[in-house]
Amino acid sequence: MHGEHTYEVTATWTGDLGSGTSGYRDYARAVTLEIEGKPAIHASADRPFRGDPAKWNPEDLLLAALAECHLLSYLHACVSEGVVVTRYSDTAVATMRLDGRGGGAFTEAVLRPRVVVAEPAMVDAAMRAHAQANAWCFIANSVAFPVRHEAEVTAE
């Protein structure tokens, strides 16, 4: 598949508590993310940045995008290699370092896919498919920090 794809999201701040941004503590970090035809996501900043810890934040969403992109790319790679995946879960972790000047950046993400395949003979190819999935993952190819994989594959 070649070409260019465009994505559009509307981010609306919903955290005006009555006086706008009159002070750092005078507004909520509430945001509604919307894409036509999809459920809205009610998001916020992370708790250390005065956000609502019950809502998704940008850091959560970035890590979720990496994990989901790898999962979908991996399933495609497995189909290409004749590997039948019957279960897949990932407990991904990312590290962000603040720079002390109000900014910061992610320094690394570690994906920890736990995969179950249909046959023991598929385990080696299933492990190799993670490298192909990483090469195909649009999100991993778009970030400026390493995305490592600590994969585990077992057979039913």
Side-chain angles (χ1 to χ4, degrees):
M1 177 179 2
H2 295 281
E4 187 172 279
H5 300 268
T6 302
Y7 300 87
E8 181 177 324
V9 64
T10 300
T12 305
W13 174 54
T14 57
D16 183 359
L17 300 177
S19 61
T21 57
S22 58
Y24 186 71
R25 299 175 191 275
D26 296 336
Y27 64 96
R29 276 58 176 178
V31 176
T32 300
L33 303 171
E34 297 173 288
I35 294 176
E36 187 175 331
K38 297 181 183 182
I41 296 175
H42 300 288
S44 183
D46 196 9
R47 177 179 231 147
F49 310 108
R50 303 195 55 80
D52 182 344
K55 295 181 180 175
W56 287 80
N57 62 61
E59 296 82 11
D60 295 333
L61 293 166
L62 177 61
L63 183 57
L66 282 166
E68 182 182 359
C69 187
H70 184 81
L71 182 158
L72 295 171
S73 298
Y74 179 77
L75 296 178
H76 178 70
C78 284
V79 168
S80 299
E81 293 296 320
V83 173
V84 177
V85 174
T86 59
R87 287 193 299 279
Y88 182 114
S89 66
D90 185 356
T91 305
V93 177
T95 303
M96 182 178 70
R97 183 169 296 132
L98 301 178
D99 64 12
R101 299 183 308 267
F106 279 91
T107 58
E108 167 181 71
V110 181
L111 306 182
R112 295 188 177 108
R114 300 298 177 252
V115 179
V116 178
V117 296
E119 302 289 334
M122 297 175 175
V123 170
D124 290 341
M127 284 298 290
R128 287 192 306 272
H130 284 289
Q132 182 62 63
N134 189 58
W136 284 344
C137 177
F138 307 132
I139 308 301
N141 288 321
S142 300
V143 297
F145 54 88
V147 179
R148 293 189 305 108
H149 304 89
E150 296 175 357
E152 176 185 297
V153 178
T154 57
E156 287 191 358

